[in-house]
């Protein structure tokens, strides 16, 4: 899901100082840290749990993903219906999916292949790096290459 914001009339004021910008970013840092702790404690970043999921030996990860999808549906619906704004006052726009379904299927297959090979999806990469699992640097590098490759071919899809 891609959520974009559009600048409001008040956000075009004079540039803020670096200290002021850093101070405004701390809620995002705290949220990211809490999300990382949640990923580790829920075992969503566990290679063992991911292996169980791909072998259909446990419903643990399916329950986690189902709860994430449900949370996404609820929050996206609320954003659309209430017209909430971003912290900086910008409007939040959640665009509808467009284009052929095949591109989403292809993207899902590539994502799943990378997930199966690495044993981790993008979110837990940072949580595992924070847990001193340094081989995740290789996975992070591969994810960045994949992101770059997507950007290079995006207009063709």
């Amino acid at each position: 899901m891609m959520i974009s914001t559009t600048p409001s009339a008040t956000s075009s004021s004079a540039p803020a100082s670096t200290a002021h910008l850093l101070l405004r970013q701390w809620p995002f840092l705290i949220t990211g840290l809490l999300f990382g702790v949640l990923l580790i404690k829920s075992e969503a970043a566990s290679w063992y749990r991911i292996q169980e999921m791909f072998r259909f030996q446990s419903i643990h990860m399916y329950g986690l993903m189902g709860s994430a999808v449900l949370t996404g549906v609820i929050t996206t619906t609320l954003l659309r219906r209430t017209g909430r704004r971003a912290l900086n006052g910008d409007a939040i726009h959640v665009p509808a999916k467009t284009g052929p379904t095949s591109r989403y299927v292809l993207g899902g297959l590539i994502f799943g292949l990378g997930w199966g090979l690495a044993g981790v999806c993008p979110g837990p990469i940072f949580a595992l790096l924070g847990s001193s699992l340094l081989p995740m640097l290789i996975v992070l590098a591969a994810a960045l290459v994949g992101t770059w490759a997507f950007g290079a071919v995006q207009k063709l899809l």
Side-chain angles (χ1 to χ4, degrees), residues 7 42 62 88 95 114 123 152:
S42 68
Y62 296 109
N88 62 359

Side-chain angles (χ1 to χ4, degrees), residues 72-87:
V73 168
I74 291 170
T75 54
T76 303
T77 302
L78 287 174
L79 281 174
R80 285 183 173 153
R81 290 189 178 174
T82 62
R84 300 286 300 186
R85 294 193 166 268
L87 292 177

Side-chain angles (χ1 to χ4, degrees), residues 29-48:
L29 177 63
I30 298 298
T31 303
L33 286 171
L34 291 175
F35 184 63
V37 169
L38 179 70
L39 289 174
I40 296 295
K41 291 295 185 185
S42 68
E43 298 182 345
S46 166
W47 181 87
Y48 176 74

Side-chain angles (χ1 to χ4, degrees), residues 5-31:
T5 60
T6 56
S8 67
T10 58
S11 66
S12 62
S13 60
S17 69
T18 303
H20 180 71
L21 288 174
L22 289 175
L23 191 60
R24 290 183 59 181
Q25 302 301 318
W26 75 265
F28 303 109
L29 177 63
I30 298 298
T31 303

Side-chain angles (χ1 to χ4, degrees), residues 73-147:
V73 168
I74 291 170
T75 54
T76 303
T77 302
L78 287 174
L79 281 174
R80 285 183 173 153
R81 290 189 178 174
T82 62
R84 300 286 300 186
R85 294 193 166 268
L87 292 177
N88 62 359
D90 291 348
I92 298 173
H93 174 66
V94 182
K97 297 287 183 195
T98 60
T101 304
S102 60
R103 63 188 242 173
Y104 300 117
V105 172
L106 178 63
L109 288 172
I110 293 171
F111 181 86
L113 180 63
W115 191 8
L117 289 172
V120 64
C121 67
I125 291 173
F126 295 102
L128 291 170
L129 280 173
S131 299
S132 302
L133 197 58
L134 294 181
M136 284 295 120
L137 287 171
I138 297 168
V139 178
L140 177 61
L144 291 174
V145 168
T147 302

